[in-house]
Amino acid sequence: RAEGNRLIDRDGREYIDAVASLWSVIHGHGHPQIVEAIQAQAAKLQHSTLLGISHPSAIAFADSLVRHLPKGLSRVYYSSDGSSAVEVALKMAIQYWVNQGHPERKRIVALDMAYHGDTLGANSLGGPGPFRDPYEPLLFEPLRVPNGYRYRCRWCASGPECDSSCVDALRDLLEARGAEIAALIVEPRVQGAAGMIVAPEGHLSSIRRLCDDHDVLLIADEVATGFGRTGEMFACDLEGVVPDIMTLGKGITGGYLPLSATVATDRVYDAFYDLTDRNKTLFHGHTFAGNPICCAAALASLRIFETDPVLVRVRERAAFLGTLLHELFADHPWVGEIRQQGLMVGLELVRDRTTRESFPAIDAIGWRVCMAARDKGVFVRPLGDVVILMPPLSIEEEELVQIAEAVHYGLREVGKGHDTVD
Ligand code: PLP
């Protein structure tokens, strides 16, 4: 069971859901308004296709969503999970150029260490490693540019400030090969699955400017960052950036049901709208895309953003959490970097803070720290040796204290026997 910000196991033990059930729960578990909306919609119309007809729930949510999106994103295409939303974005970007008479623009640019999902197209965009390597024969190769990973940046990690060399690398690529590129895809401001890597301020708007200069479409994958996580409704809002295509998932229904969306500008939409040429259609569609119950949940979740000061609370909680983490971990010998954007946090654990040397993967330090934290009633899950904290936006201050102290306890327990930690 679950209640509010807590998961309850079969023996009745409670755990704070410090990863928001894989980054999806927004207003907490069992929120009465979302539960009621789901029940009411299930009794009215549980499913009907969006192929050839529509239904009020899908229309109402799209209409509401557009009012919250960065201005200019006006068209909504539904799928059922984040990966599918990314597949649609890729197909949209490629076909956009085919429909415009430029089939030669067929390359996609992705950032180092990107993660955009586990289906084949999305998987192709991911960095090398066990999530990608075995499926190599089925994947396409994107063009790669460096990400803004200050802590391990090949150019400016040891300097006092970011010198924007990663943006220069993108500029060089676009100058050399812009005419063959359809789109660049980015996780705006925070690369979640890479370990909550927070890009330097201005990184996203520089990417937008360069894409504009070279007429390359910008796809912002907000599957993880969307719906308030970063302190703004969307991470793009942090820098006033409007992408050409945006992907949404995870928190879109408040974390209650599977739904995702690929949203686009009129410019993109118009390239597909041609009553005289059927081949310009985006031939893609999933059976349960825009399911009425999922859309009703999504609408109810969005209403809570409209009636409650959710974003104000996120910023307050984020500031509180930031102070807490610095008090507890800034001098900890195993905590190399504390990364935070809103309520998205990564604590990168390292064997040596001076050299930034990682622990051997086989030691599974991150995993062991998180398992130990469960003794203190906190469910937290690492990505490698980065401890991820991404609680529901409804998290309370006392719960944040419990989360931080549980991680501290986990570090102490795993540190026993290591001479670098007391
Ligand atoms: N895009 C990003 C940025 C993600 O973080 C994820 C999942 O973590 C996905 C896409 C894939 O979403 P899903 O797991 O719903 O397919």
Side-chain angles (χ1 to χ4, degrees):
R1 298 186 293 121
E3 268 170 35
N5 302 317
R6 285 158 196 269
L7 300 167
I8 302 157
D9 76 10
R10 61 184 178 179
D11 301 319
R13 269 180 58 99
E14 293 192 5
Y15 304 83
I16 298 179
D17 187 1
V19 289
S21 292
L22 213 48
W23 314 352
S24 67
V25 175
I26 299 282
H27 311 293
H29 295 269
H31 194 293
Q33 277 165 254
I34 305 180
V35 173
E36 276 162 31
I38 290 171
Q39 288 170 336
Q41 184 60 49
K44 216 186 287 171
L45 171 70
Q46 94 292 349
H47 187 56
S48 169
T49 180
L50 290 183
L51 304 186
I53 53 172
S54 190
H55 56 76
S57 180
I59 295 169
F61 177 58
D63 192 48
S64 239
L65 177 64
V66 165
R67 280 186 265 119
H68 289 271
L69 290 169
K71 222 171 160 42
L73 290 167
S74 49
R75 303 287 173 170
V76 179
Y77 186 100
Y78 290 120
S79 306
S80 305
D81 55 73
S83 304
S84 301
V86 170
E87 300 290 334
V88 172
L90 295 175
K91 288 170 90 168
M92 250 183 210
I94 294 292
Q95 195 180 347
Y96 169 86
W97 289 110
V98 171
N99 288 358
Q100 305 276 49
H102 288 290
E104 73 284 359
R105 280 195 181 254
K106 55 186 171 205
R107 302 302 301 268
I108 303 287
V109 181
L111 269 63
D112 285 342
M113 300 175 76
Y115 179 79
H116 296 283
D118 285 348
T119 51
L120 293 175
N123 211 171
S124 298
L125 304 165
F131 276 80
R132 188 184 200 279
D133 298 348
Y135 319 110
E136 194 66 47
L138 299 174
L139 307 179
F140 73 84
E141 263 321 309
L143 298 168
R144 297 241 174 242
V145 288
N147 53 346
Y149 188 7
R150 272 280 288 150
Y151 187 61
R152 298 192 185 280
C153 177
R154 70 187 88 154
W155 293 287
C156 63
S158 54
E161 274 177 37
C162 165
D163 69 6
S164 299
S165 293
C166 55
V167 175
D168 294 341
L170 173 61
R171 183 178 298 108
D172 293 346
L173 174 73
L174 293 180
E175 277 169 10
R177 305 182 65 174
E180 58 184 284
I181 296 171
L184 178 148
I185 183 162
V186 61
E187 293 157 83
R189 277 300 270 275
V190 188
Q191 283 188 304
M196 296 296 164
I197 295 175
V198 180
E201 205 155 337
H203 184 254
L204 181 62
S205 35
S206 301
I207 290 178
R208 171 73 276 185
R209 262 194 309 278
L210 287 171
C211 286
D212 282 343
D213 292 349
H214 295 273
D215 213 10
V216 164
L217 297 175
L218 176 63
I219 305 170
D221 180 357
E222 295 245 17
V223 167
T225 50
F227 300 99
R229 299 272 175 213
T230 63
E232 289 289 345
M233 197 62 173
F234 300 102
C236 284
D237 296 330
L238 291 165
E239 297 192 23
V241 161
V242 184
D244 301 286
I245 299 172
M246 185 189 271
T247 52
L248 301 167
K250 289 192 184 283
I252 193 170
T253 61
Y256 281 65
L257 288 168
L259 180 75
S260 65
T262 308
V263 297
T265 58
D266 278 354
R267 171 190 167 200
V268 173
Y269 174 85
D270 287 344
F272 292 83
Y273 193 81
D274 187 339
L275 295 177
T276 64
D277 187 352
R278 195 174 134 73
N279 290 330
K280 288 193 176 172
T281 306
L282 177 70
F283 284 105
H284 186 105
H286 296 285
T287 305
F288 288 105
N291 169 270
I293 308 176
C294 301
C295 288
L299 188 59
S301 175
L302 214 47
R303 287 268 147 79
I304 298 169
F305 277 100
E306 288 161 1
T307 53
D308 297 1
V310 179
L311 295 180
V312 175
R313 248 178 130 266
V314 172
R315 289 175 209 135
E316 283 168 7
R317 296 286 184 275
F320 178 82
L321 179 62
T323 308
L324 192 62
L325 295 176
H326 277 89
E327 278 168 14
L328 278 176
F329 300 113
D331 297 323
H332 195 287
W334 278 10
V335 178
E337 191 180 39
I338 303 168
R339 296 190 280 269
Q340 182 184 10
Q341 176 67 61
L343 285 175
M344 300 177 82
V345 169
L347 304 177
E348 181 161 342
L349 307 182
V350 290
R351 177 145 83 177
D352 186 326
R353 273 162 62 110
T354 317
T355 61
R356 303 187 180 182
E357 182 197 346
S358 304
F359 287 101
I362 193 78
D363 288 358
I365 295 289
W367 180 251
R368 288 163 55 205
V369 168
C370 291
M371 286 305 284
R374 285 193 203 179
D375 296 345
K376 297 288 175 193
V378 171
F379 177 67
V380 59
R381 190 179 171 275
L383 287 162
D385 282 341
V386 182
V387 176
I388 302 298
L389 308 179
M390 189 145 158
L393 307 189
S394 50
I395 199 79
E396 300 293 351
E397 286 188 356
E398 314 83 76
E399 292 170 325
L400 289 172
V401 172
Q402 191 179 335
I403 293 170
E405 287 180 348
V407 173
H408 195 262
Y409 163 84
L411 280 165
R412 202 167 54 235
E413 284 301 294
V414 178
K416 283 179 184 162
H418 284 262
D419 52 12
T420 47
V421 168
D422 49 46

